[in-house]
Amino acid sequence: MTIPDSGFMLENGASCLPVPAADERRIVEGLTSKAEANLREGNLYYVVSYRWYSRWQMYVGQNNNQYSGQQPDLGSLNVAPYETADRPGPVDNTDIVSNESISEGDHVELRRMLEEGRDYVLVPQEVWEKILSWYGGGPAFPRKMILLGYHQKNFVVEVYLLRLKLTDARDNTHFFITLSRKATVVELYQKVCLLRSVNVTKVQIWDYFNKQKNSLLVSSNKTLEQENLQMDQDILLEVQTDGVLQSRAGMDSARNDLALVALEPSRSSMTIAGGPTMSNGHSTGFGIAQRSAFSSTSSCSEDGYNALSSSRGEKGGLAGLQNLGNTCFMNSAIQCLVHTPPIVEYFLQDYTSDINVDNPLGMEGELALAFGDLLRKLWSSGRTTIAPRAFKGKLARFAPQFSGYNQHDSQELLAFLLDGLHEDLNRVKQKPYLEAKDSNGRPDKEVADEAWKYHKARNDSIIVDVCQGQYKSTLVCPICGKISITFDPFMYLTLPLPSSVSRTMTVTVFYVDGSGRPMPYTVTVPKHGRSQDLIHALGIACGLRTDEGLLLAEVYEHKILRYMDDFMDLTSIEDDDYLVAYRLPNRGRGKMRLELTHHWLDRGVPDSLIGNAKKFSGTPLVTHLQEELLSGPGIIETVTKMLMPLRRVSFPSVVGFLKDKIDSTDKLSNSNCTNPEGNNDMDVLDEDDLLDDGPLPQLRLSLVDERGSNHKPITKDTVIRSGNIVRVVLEWTEREHELYDASSLKDPPEVHKSRLTVKKTRPEAISLFSCLDAFLKEEPLGPDDMWYCPSCKEHRQATKKLDLWKLPDILVVHLKRFSYSRYLKNKLDTFVNFPIHNLDLSKYIKSEDEHSYMYELYAISNHYGGLGGGHYTAYAKLIDDNRWYHFDDSHVSPVNESDIRTSAAYLLFYQRVNSTVTEPSASRVSA
């Protein structure tokens, strides 16, 4: 039922006025808190359009950043600011509804690739029912909460259900069905039988992935996730008639039966290259002669792999990976890792003695076994595309963050995989307890060797052997000068992308002490600098005194949107944003702030519309409120002082204006207007001289809440309660416009105004070495990352300096292209000029060992596109034939070395030159 905006109907048909906005907010927040306190599997949540929900949040005055941490594009929503937002209409979820129709009744699906906090929000069932009773609308998208995880269980709302394509073998008709991935095979049978009106005792359902009978889905309590069923994959229904299964599937055009591919052996008997198995499924032995057994016994049609179909003598390592639904991020990372020479060499040999099933931080060896099995298939001869379903199933179990069907980050996947493989293959069965010691002035080599010895005593695996290096980290206390030096292991280098290009930014500076008029300043700052760089440049431009500071803020819809601390990334500021800075005395730091916003009417508004036309205008003013001014008169005095720079140089007779109500707009446009007698030497009038019968009438000031509503007029009896910010609104009438020049409070200029014609320049390029320099640069810790100084016994904002002490044989470089902040998610497409050959890092190493620090590139993980709809691919080199290949999911093709350096490079994989481990040859893995 659709509820009209003017009210809603109760069940008995009685008309009722809408619930007040404040009550709606209170009810929803209470129900949400109650639901969060009672999390359990099976709880029901509803998917609601973020577009509609944002309108509702504005109407009730709720913080609309609580879901995403990302500032919404309010302009695109076409809604009014908080205090004037209209009551939204019926719930409208049409913008998140898929246009694709499916055949399962009247089921409506969500659009793919929706992002929580940007496209939708999740509300508990009780909240949805309340919203629906107030507004009506829909359609409804109920979703259950499920429990995911291995080491640590996490509650997750299953937004996207598993959709399967059912083929009825009797007539080859097709139907779509949707279930939870936590649904059992029994539930699948029940739903299919109900849909096709067949007896459950007379049917068989097959895993029909890639249109092949892979395995019979036996009716049991195993979940569909455990059966490795993927989004949009096929399943096959066979129905028994007179004791015979009626099926047209698996026949050629002449209705002759086609040979079925052999089923994969059960997981319990999975072997390492065909070796004998123990009861736990681990191989007890492996020999060179057994490699041929692997090629013939590990046939896995479920994975799209059939060793019998491989071409003899064809080089291994050139198989593609099928995309199982937005799994290109996983495919890209896996192809880089399975082309890492020492990793390949290790997993093609017998590694069963390293499997650590008792490690509480590991996955009982299952992740390592699944990865090893996948690697062997990829390195067997032939180019048959592999569908990594079994591996993805293990990944979803041990890393729920990668479950589901949305796009993820290849670097995050790689980090989890390396760490998980290490724990599964950790040769240390019982980790000793070791207490780290302070350097205490000891030589760096002694401290570093001791730290590495302690690390190896607890962590010893192939991953540590070839992928881990060591940092030297130096912290210095800014107060007492205490120096702390530690040596820590690392798995990869995450390098920032510094910009060699500057950026011009325009900021309006306000003199809130009454000493000057607002003035815009355009300054040049580093493109990827921080707020402190902008504040420093502004301070020089405006002649900031040593006893003053600048308070930087962003203005949106004539209100303060946010204050910017010294460490805020300037990339979070768009060119069309509005920035202001307030000159404040340093002695006021830490005191209460007074925010002054403005209400005024455009001239010519009829008296009958004045109440509705009132809105925020102009630019807010901010100052510190001294303790002795925490009262009504004190606020009036402070506001009057803030407005002093806006006083007109000379005034016409206010008395005449009040008596005759004449429009003095033309006179006010000239700051040197003359008196009625024509005397051009008219003296500037004091405010007390403006009226014959007393001083200037008092400003119309009101205290308001954070939304700018609940006005409380300020009088001499007003008392200010404790708090960080006092919010005040000034009502501008014709009188205030007569006394003050409000043009200086109009919208400030944009941060950067693009010119109509912009000269095209070549894309910005930086070197990998400049990224390293930025990474190793000394810098202060952020305010949220303070260091506890053992000398001061307090947390300090210490300076930190990183140095490279020990580098691994395999060096993974992560180019930090994605930046995330409270208000912005961004991707940098900067071209990084990285060496392919002879990457020499010796000048960055602080130790004095005799290792080679020359590296060769052998793989790249690429990311194309933006944050929402990007795509991952990989480049990898087969060293045996000295050729590069492009791995784009299933498609594998040769590529010239000159073409692999692009602005899409995201992860770089380097191998140390003269490393003792070589690339595995095709003969080692071919049949």
Side-chain angles (χ1 to χ4, degrees):
M1 178 176 62
T2 300
I3 308 299
D5 290 352
S6 60
F8 63 90
M9 302 293 294
L10 298 178
E11 291 182 359
N12 60 9
S15 178
C16 184
L17 293 175
V19 177
D23 289 344
E24 286 188 17
R25 172 180 176 176
R26 176 181 54 79
I27 292 171
V28 166
E29 290 179 346
L31 291 174
T32 301
S33 298
K34 182 179 178 181
E36 291 174 350
N38 294 278
L39 295 180
R40 59 175 56 91
E41 196 164 22
N43 283 1
L44 207 57
Y45 279 74
Y46 282 77
V47 184
V48 180
S49 164
Y50 183 79
R51 185 181 182 89
W52 183 90
Y53 199 78
S54 294
R55 289 192 177 100
W56 177 81
Q57 285 182 304
M58 292 178 182
Y59 169 64
V60 301
Q62 190 181 67
N63 175 18
N64 59 0
N65 294 324
Q66 62 177 322
Y67 287 93
S68 66
Q70 180 180 2
Q71 179 63 18
D73 182 4
L74 302 186
S76 68
L77 298 177
N78 192 27
V79 294
Y82 299 133
E83 69 288 343
T84 60
D86 295 328
R87 187 172 189 268
V91 177
D92 183 5
N93 283 335
T94 55
D95 63 314
I96 59 174
V97 172
S98 173
N99 294 326
E100 181 181 3
S101 61
I102 65 173
S103 55
E104 188 187 350
D106 58 355
H107 179 80
V108 180
E109 282 209 336
L110 290 169
R111 281 196 297 114
R112 297 289 179 91
M113 298 295 289
L114 297 179
E115 181 181 337
E116 184 179 3
R118 185 191 69 181
D119 303 302
Y120 70 87
V121 297
L122 295 169
V123 300
Q125 179 180 6
E126 296 79 5
V127 172
W128 169 257
E129 290 171 351
K130 278 293 182 185
I131 289 177
L132 203 62
S133 71
W134 294 330
Y135 296 95
F141 292 104
R143 294 295 187 265
K144 286 185 178 180
M145 177 171 281
I146 59 177
L147 197 57
L148 297 177
Y150 179 73
H151 291 298
Q152 182 176 358
K153 300 293 185 181
N154 297 317
F155 286 109
V156 176
V157 176
E158 189 178 20
V159 174
Y160 286 99
L161 300 176
L162 179 64
R163 189 175 79 160
L164 302 172
K165 184 178 180 181
L166 173 69
T167 298
D168 191 328
R170 294 173 295 179
D171 53 9
N172 276 339
T173 54
H174 305 292
F175 305 88
F176 283 105
I177 61 173
T178 55
L179 303 93
S180 168
R181 51 197 151 126
K182 290 295 184 180
T184 64
V185 181
V186 170
E187 293 173 294
L188 173 63
Y189 268 81
Q190 292 171 346
K191 189 159 190 174
V192 169
C193 292
L194 181 63
L195 175 66
R196 302 302 294 145
S197 300
V198 291
N199 191 322
V200 70
T201 62
K202 296 183 178 183
V203 302
Q204 288 182 345
I205 300 178
W206 290 80
D207 179 343
Y208 201 47
F209 185 78
N210 284 342
K211 299 290 186 180
Q212 292 179 334
K213 281 186 176 181
N214 293 291
S215 61
L216 179 64
L217 298 174
V218 179
S219 184
S220 68
N221 287 326
K222 289 185 67 174
T223 67
L224 304 184
E225 185 175 48
Q226 290 173 324
E227 291 286 359
N228 292 325
L229 297 184
Q230 304 298 314
M231 177 69 83
D232 295 326
Q233 82 154 74
D234 292 275
I235 56 175
L236 179 67
L237 171 66
E238 291 184 334
V239 182
Q240 191 178 78
T241 303
D242 297 329
V244 178
L245 289 173
Q246 300 297 314
S247 176
R248 295 177 59 187
M251 294 183 178
D252 61 17
S253 58
R255 299 184 60 81
N256 297 315
D257 289 338
L258 298 176
L260 295 179
V261 181
L263 300 184
E264 180 189 18
S266 65
R267 289 287 180 233
S268 62
S269 61
M270 186 197 311
T271 67
I272 298 293
T277 60
M278 300 183 293
S279 60
N280 61 3
H282 297 159
S283 173
T284 58
F286 179 84
I288 298 298
Q290 291 174 313
R291 284 173 180 160
S292 61
F294 168 76
S295 297
S296 60
T297 63
S298 294
S299 166
C300 179
S301 62
E302 148 179 336
D303 288 343
Y305 169 80
N306 182 6
L308 298 177
S309 66
S310 300
S311 300
R312 300 263 177 184
E314 193 170 3
K315 177 169 288 295
L318 293 179
L321 287 167
Q322 184 172 339
N323 193 315
L324 302 177
N326 294 318
T327 57
C328 60
F329 75 97
M330 181 182 77
N331 294 346
S332 174
I334 288 176
Q335 290 288 11
C336 291
L337 202 52
V338 301
H339 286 86
T340 298
I343 298 295
V344 178
E345 182 75 13
Y346 177 83
F347 279 99
L348 291 182
Q349 298 178 12
D350 181 12
Y351 58 91
T352 54
S353 60
D354 289 344
I355 295 290
N356 191 337
V357 297
D358 299 319
N359 186 356
L361 299 179
M363 293 78 173
E364 298 180 353
E366 292 187 34
L367 185 67
L369 287 169
F371 176 78
D373 184 55
L374 178 59
L375 180 144
R376 289 170 178 275
K377 291 171 183 174
L378 290 170
W379 271 96
S380 295
S381 61
R383 300 195 183 190
T384 303
T385 297
I386 307 299
R389 291 203 297 165
F391 178 80
K392 185 177 184 295
K394 297 295 184 186
L395 186 67
R397 179 187 175 198
F398 297 119
Q401 65 269 31
F402 300 117
S403 63
Y405 313 101
N406 281 339
Q407 185 66 273
H408 297 282
D409 190 312
S410 68
Q411 186 273 332
E412 292 178 0
L413 183 280
L414 179 72
F416 167 80
L417 188 52
L418 288 175
D419 190 60
L421 291 175
H422 158 65
E423 297 295 355
D424 267 4
L425 299 170
N426 197 346
R427 304 178 187 107
V428 178
K429 309 303 180 183
Q430 296 292 331
K431 294 186 178 183
Y433 172 76
L434 299 169
E435 186 174 354
K437 300 178 182 178
D438 194 274
S439 58
N440 287 329
R442 291 183 291 161
D444 283 350
K445 186 177 187 311
E446 178 184 337
V447 180
D449 290 346
E450 178 183 79
W452 188 253
K453 178 182 177 182
Y454 284 5
H455 176 64
K456 287 280 287 184
R458 296 173 55 85
N459 303 276
D460 184 17
S461 70
I462 179 63
I463 304 301
V464 175
D465 293 343
V466 301
C467 296
Q468 287 196 354
Q470 193 177 31
Y471 289 133
K472 175 186 175 182
S473 177
T474 305
L475 291 169
V476 180
C477 178
I479 305 301
C480 70
K482 166 69 177 177
I483 299 176
S484 174
I485 298 176
T486 58
F487 292 84
D488 305 305
F490 68 88
M491 194 94 73
Y492 46 84
L493 296 179
T494 296
L495 305 184
L497 303 187
S499 174
S500 58
V501 177
S502 299
R503 175 186 184 187
T504 59
M505 302 182 73
T506 300
V507 182
T508 303
V509 178
F510 287 84
Y511 300 74
V512 295
D513 62 352
S515 62
R517 296 175 69 86
M519 182 70 66
Y521 292 91
T522 300
V523 295
T524 301
V525 294
K527 187 176 181 181
H528 297 284
R530 297 181 176 181
S531 297
Q532 59 186 0
D533 300 314
L534 178 57
I535 291 173
H536 177 72
L538 281 174
I540 296 175
C542 70
L544 197 68
R545 300 193 304 266
T546 56
D547 62 342
E548 290 181 312
L550 288 175
L551 178 63
L552 198 62
E554 181 181 349
V555 174
Y556 181 82
E557 295 287 352
H558 311 288
K559 295 189 297 183
I560 299 294
L561 176 64
R562 55 171 170 166
Y563 293 103
M564 307 178 67
D565 61 43
D566 290 350
F567 298 96
M568 186 169 289
D569 196 334
L570 291 182
T571 58
S572 68
I573 303 172
E574 301 287 349
D575 285 347
D576 56 355
D577 289 340
Y578 299 96
L579 292 188
V580 295
Y582 303 100
R583 295 181 67 145
L584 299 172
N586 289 331
R587 65 177 181 275
R589 289 183 180 272
K591 295 184 180 295
M592 189 178 295
R593 290 176 187 166
L594 185 146
E595 282 184 8
L596 178 67
T597 49
H598 315 278
H599 273 169
W600 68 53
L601 295 175
D602 293 331
R603 299 187 181 188
V605 175
D607 293 342
S608 60
L609 298 179
I610 288 179
N612 296 327
K614 191 180 296 183
K615 62 181 181 179
F616 279 111
S617 302
T619 306
L621 299 176
V622 178
T623 190
H624 291 139
L625 195 59
Q626 304 301 322
E627 293 182 4
E628 62 272 15
L629 300 176
L630 298 178
S631 62
I635 291 178
I636 295 172
E637 178 184 339
T638 302
V639 171
T640 302
K641 185 177 181 181
M642 295 170 73
L643 295 174
M644 285 298 290
L646 308 182
R647 282 183 53 181
R648 298 186 182 277
V649 176
S650 57
F651 301 86
S653 173
V654 178
V655 176
F657 168 76
L658 294 175
K659 291 181 179 179
D660 302 331
K661 295 183 179 180
I662 63 172
D663 186 358
S664 57
T665 303
D666 294 338
K667 297 180 181 180
L668 295 176
S669 63
N670 185 355
S671 60
N672 294 315
C673 56
T674 59
N675 62 16
E677 288 77 22
N679 183 2
N680 292 327
D681 297 326
M682 176 181 177
D683 294 333
V684 176
L685 299 176
D686 291 332
E687 291 182 1
D688 289 350
D689 297 331
L690 292 175
L691 297 177
D692 297 334
D693 56 351
L696 185 69
Q698 181 175 303
L699 298 171
R700 298 184 182 182
L701 300 174
S702 299
L703 292 175
V704 293
D705 58 22
E706 59 183 8
R707 298 188 298 120
S709 56
N710 295 330
H711 290 235
K712 297 180 180 178
I714 295 177
T715 66
K716 65 179 181 179
D717 298 322
T718 298
V719 177
I720 305 302
R721 296 192 178 99
S722 59
N724 296 323
I725 298 178
V726 177
R727 296 177 175 85
V728 177
V729 168
L730 169 61
E731 304 288 348
W732 285 70
T733 64
E734 289 291 345
R735 180 194 61 200
E736 279 72 29
H737 282 288
E738 184 74 21
L739 299 178
Y740 298 102
D741 181 5
S743 63
S744 298
L745 295 178
K746 294 289 186 181
D747 289 341
E750 297 176 352
V751 167
H752 179 77
K753 191 71 174 179
S754 300
R755 300 186 181 277
L756 294 178
T757 58
V758 180
K759 183 180 178 181
K760 292 185 177 181
T761 59
R762 297 182 61 185
E764 179 188 356
I766 59 176
S767 73
L768 184 64
F769 297 105
S770 64
C771 297
L772 269 167
D773 292 335
F775 174 68
L776 300 174
K777 181 179 66 175
E778 182 179 11
E779 60 181 1
L781 296 175
D784 298 327
D785 190 26
M786 306 279 271
W787 171 61
Y788 182 79
C789 176
S791 296
C792 298
K793 307 297 182 184
E794 290 187 23
H795 285 88
R796 301 295 190 191
Q797 195 170 349
T799 58
K800 183 175 184 178
K801 175 71 169 68
L802 285 178
D803 291 299
L804 300 179
W805 185 264
K806 173 186 177 69
L807 290 183
D809 287 343
I810 299 299
L811 179 64
V812 180
V813 177
H814 168 218
L815 301 177
K816 195 175 181 181
R817 294 196 178 276
F818 301 104
S819 60
Y820 302 90
S821 66
R822 181 180 178 187
Y823 296 96
L824 185 70
K825 298 178 182 179
N826 186 41
K827 184 200 171 187
L828 301 176
D829 288 315
T830 306
F831 177 79
V832 178
N833 188 9
F834 50 88
I836 298 175
H837 304 287
N838 302 321
L839 170 62
D840 187 359
L841 298 177
S842 56
K843 71 174 184 178
Y844 294 98
I845 306 302
K846 295 302 179 181
S847 62
E848 298 179 355
D849 58 33
E850 298 179 357
H851 281 96
S852 166
Y853 292 108
M854 193 74 72
Y855 287 84
E856 292 279 315
L857 186 73
Y858 69 87
I860 306 172
S861 175
N862 304 299
H863 181 271
Y864 298 90
L867 290 169
H871 180 61
Y872 287 93
T873 68
Y875 293 127
K877 183 178 183 180
L878 266 67
I879 298 177
D880 278 355
D881 57 0
N882 195 31
R883 291 201 65 180
W884 283 87
Y885 291 86
H886 184 211
F887 295 84
D888 185 358
D889 289 332
S890 300
H891 183 69
V892 181
S893 58
V895 63
N896 293 326
E897 183 177 274
S898 58
D899 296 329
I900 65 172
R901 250 191 305 228
T902 70
S903 59
Y906 184 46
L907 299 175
L908 307 175
F909 291 74
Y910 285 94
Q911 182 178 18
R912 193 198 304 269
V913 176
N914 299 326
S915 176
T916 57
V917 183
T918 59
E919 175 80 2
S921 63
S923 62
R924 292 177 181 153
V925 291
S926 61

